[in-house]
Amino acid sequence: MSADIKDRATPSALEVRGLCKSFDVSAPWLNRVIERRERQILRAVDDIDFNVPRGGCLSLVGESGCGKSTVARIVTGLHRPERGEMRFAPGNSGQPMTAQMIFQDPYASLNARWKVFDVIAEPLRELKLRSGKQAIRDRVNELLEVVGLSPADGAKYPHEFSGGQRQRISIARALASEPEFLVCDEPTSALDVSVQAQILNLMRSLQDELGLTYLFISHDLSVVRHMSDRIAVMYLGRIVEEAPTEVLFARTRHPYTQLLLDTIPDVRNPHRDRPLRGGEVPSPLNPPSGCSFHPRCPFADDRCKREKPKLMTCDDGAHIACHRVEESGGLPAGETVSA
Ligand code: SF4
């Protein structure tokens, strides 16, 4: 599928090709011998390609277990890829950019024993970005104000803050290392809906002010809609649809993307019937043959059970892995897949 993603006009901050990652989740050797069990390998990321547009936002979306957080961890260097290439473009310093991560859980990602000042000052000291107490203090105060907190908050401990405020502290800490590329792993999923909007608005305005590039991870298409320039939908370790945001919402083509859209609550019609189609995600330890979505897909036929669909390029910049879409020539503009 590598050849499919070549036609992006925007320069890329990050190009990823053929990325694979597996985990050995086997029981200990002795248990396997006694219980005559095979080794178990979990294919978390299976040959994916994507580009993150420079100064823009690519969102990876999918249900839990689809591999999106593994991708985030590979991009930030927390996991080593098994195969594939990752190429960061040069940043403002002329050196390849490095990615900083904003974690999902603002409760667990901050050291509860440190005051907020020290949490934010640590990268400044470690990376020698500021020297001298006053310069560090000025920068920490500046970062607290950038994320909508006050310099006085530096004297408090993380437990004295609400979830949204803690996520602001996490963002300030990430910004302390002066990154140009941020990987945001479900940064709002632990927060109340009203607070989610505030954090997303903050992230958007920081992107505009500081020229940041985001790789945004979420299970919720409605969250990423207003953040993203492009959206890549993942299912069981593979990208099944990748498109500019407006194209993906205007012409949803992959049946799995349609399923994700069907699960978004509708505030104008909160009691509408939203049939749960297709049941649970199959185990990634034993993925289905052919198109791994076929047990849940209302359009699955024999070919789907046999043959893995390739990611094909449509003339509106979308990339779809689905036999049905391929056979219909990518579907004409305005048409969407429906059951
Ligand atoms: Fe459904 Fe077949 Fe398309 Fe897979 S390839 S999404 S099973 S129609």
Side-chain angles (χ1 to χ4, degrees):
M1 91 188 184
S2 310
D4 291 316
I5 307 183
K6 280 184 176 170
D7 52 349
R8 317 285 161 76
T10 318
S12 297
L14 171 65
E15 292 182 6
V16 171
R17 296 291 176 269
L19 194 69
C20 295
K21 179 72 184 173
S22 300
F23 296 98
D24 187 342
V25 292
S26 313
W29 174 80
L30 192 57
N31 295 49
R32 288 207 316 274
V33 171
I34 294 168
E35 296 164 19
R36 296 174 187 235
R37 278 158 53 185
E38 296 287 318
R39 207 174 250 287
Q40 287 197 299
I41 304 295
L42 188 149
R43 194 94 197 238
V45 178
D46 185 7
D47 190 18
I48 67 168
D49 299 351
F50 60 86
N51 286 2
V52 183
R54 191 177 192 122
C57 174
L58 172 80
S59 290
L60 291 180
V61 182
E63 290 162 291
S64 130
C66 71
K68 57 191 188 305
S69 290
T70 304
V71 174
R73 287 171 177 271
I74 294 172
V75 169
T76 45
L78 295 174
H79 287 324
R80 289 168 71 93
E82 181 184 327
R83 255 189 296 126
E85 285 174 33
M86 283 199 310
R87 200 164 58 239
F88 282 97
N92 293 334
S93 65
Q95 298 297 316
M97 292 184 199
T98 52
Q100 281 296 314
M101 185 119 155
I102 298 174
F103 291 93
Q104 176 176 2
D105 187 350
Y107 297 88
S109 62
L110 298 174
N111 189 332
R113 296 180 187 193
W114 286 12
K115 288 187 175 169
V116 167
F117 179 90
D118 294 314
V119 169
I120 300 172
E122 188 200 21
L124 299 174
R125 295 184 182 120
E126 287 296 315
L127 300 173
K128 300 190 176 22
L129 294 169
R130 294 288 186 283
S131 58
K133 281 186 180 170
Q134 191 56 45
I136 291 175
R137 181 161 297 282
D138 290 347
R139 179 63 177 151
V140 171
N141 290 347
E142 185 187 357
L143 287 164
L144 283 166
E145 285 176 341
V146 161
V147 298
L149 296 171
S150 87
D153 289 323
K156 298 178 187 168
Y157 287 94
H159 74 264
E160 297 178 67
F161 294 88
S162 67
Q165 288 171 323
R166 286 187 212 194
Q167 201 54 294
R168 288 174 190 268
I169 297 166
S170 301
I171 294 170
R173 181 183 56 183
L175 294 178
S177 53
E178 299 176 8
E180 292 168 71
F181 194 115
L182 280 178
V183 177
C184 315
D185 187 8
E186 305 248 21
T188 59
S189 65
L191 306 176
D192 291 342
V193 174
S194 57
V195 182
Q196 284 185 8
Q198 292 170 17
I199 295 297
L200 291 173
N201 287 339
L202 170 66
M203 294 183 71
R204 267 231 82 120
S205 60
L206 288 175
Q207 185 177 28
D208 292 342
E209 281 168 35
L210 306 175
L212 298 170
T213 298
Y214 289 151
L215 175 62
F216 201 95
I217 312 291
S218 180
H219 63 278
D220 187 342
L221 271 171
S222 63
V223 164
V224 300
R225 181 171 191 166
H226 300 291
M227 289 293 299
S228 318
D229 298 285
R230 298 188 73 94
I231 295 177
V233 178
M234 287 187 73
Y235 189 74
L236 286 181
R238 295 177 74 91
I239 290 177
V240 296
E241 180 160 11
E242 196 273 354
T245 304
E246 65 280 9
V247 170
L248 187 122
F249 280 89
R251 290 180 225 160
T252 307
R253 280 174 276 208
H254 197 284
Y256 177 59
T257 312
Q258 189 65 55
L259 184 147
L260 288 181
L261 282 173
D262 287 347
T263 60
I264 296 175
D266 184 349
V267 286
R268 285 162 301 184
N269 186 10
H271 301 300
R272 77 185 160 132
D273 277 343
R274 283 187 284 121
L276 273 176
R277 286 195 285 163
E280 300 290 318
V281 186
S283 166
L285 283 171
N286 187 20
S289 59
C291 172
S292 55
F293 187 58
H294 84 252
R296 303 174 77 191
C297 180
F299 310 109
D301 59 18
D302 283 346
R303 185 184 177 200
C304 302
K305 292 175 191 163
R306 273 194 330 267
E307 204 180 305
K308 203 173 268 195
K310 293 197 172 74
L311 207 64
M312 60 169 280
T313 303
C314 303
D315 52 14
D316 56 9
H319 302 83
I320 323 274
C322 173
H323 297 312
R324 183 172 183 266
V325 175
E326 182 196 332
E327 284 160 11
S328 65
L331 290 185
E335 191 176 337
T336 57
V337 199
S338 58

